[in-house]
Amino acid sequence: MVRIKLFLLNIEQGLGVTKGYYQHILTPFKYSPQNAFRWSVGEKLAMYIKEENFDIVGLTEVDANIRKEGKTQLEYIADTTGMHGQFFQTYKNFMITQGNAALTTLVITAI
């Protein structure tokens, strides 16, 4: 029997876990496209994924527009963890391109 270690998380665009929708009103600074807070969450997440040695990671509410050092959130996490990543767009407006992402240590043969 093969065991696969799986991890699923809603990263809320890299904002971290909120306690409710009221926080969207009370903390609007978090939604700035270049907010450093978003990247601190992404860095912590990447390190956790790497330390736990997951085989497959599923992420929701991944932001494809925000970049740090030329990398999107998914590219940064994939590079930091050494995993293969794929982005699946679910939402787009004039400011945001958001979707789900899958990362894996396994070889992706088809999508």
Side-chain angles (χ1 to χ4, degrees):
M1 177 167 59
V2 176
R3 291 186 182 257
I4 295 176
K5 197 169 181 181
L6 175 67
F7 178 60
L8 301 171
L9 181 68
N10 179 343
I11 65 169
E12 298 188 67
Q13 294 180 291
L15 296 174
V17 178
T18 58
K19 295 178 182 172
Y21 284 103
Y22 69 91
Q23 285 190 330
H24 294 284
I25 296 167
L26 299 176
T27 57
F29 66 89
K30 288 184 179 182
Y31 303 93
S32 166
Q34 299 305 320
N35 186 343
F37 180 76
R38 289 183 179 198
W39 284 103
S40 66
V41 171
E43 290 164 358
K44 290 175 187 173
L45 175 60
M47 294 311 299
Y48 177 73
I49 291 169
K50 191 172 185 176
E51 288 170 7
E52 291 296 321
N53 200 26
F54 292 108
D55 297 306
I56 300 172
V57 176
L59 301 174
T60 61
E61 289 193 38
V62 177
D63 195 317
N65 290 340
I66 299 173
R67 296 185 178 273
K68 180 179 182 181
E69 299 169 5
K71 296 179 183 177
T72 64
Q73 289 176 332
L74 177 61
E75 291 167 341
Y76 175 81
I77 294 169
D79 288 350
T80 302
T81 60
M83 300 176 90
H84 308 283
Q86 182 65 47
F87 178 78
F88 305 94
Q89 180 179 315
T90 58
Y91 178 78
K92 183 173 181 154
N93 70 18
F94 68 97
M95 290 179 58
I96 307 171
T97 301
Q98 191 178 81
N100 301 321
L103 296 121
T104 183
T105 55
L106 309 170
V107 177
I108 299 172
T109 57
I111 297 176

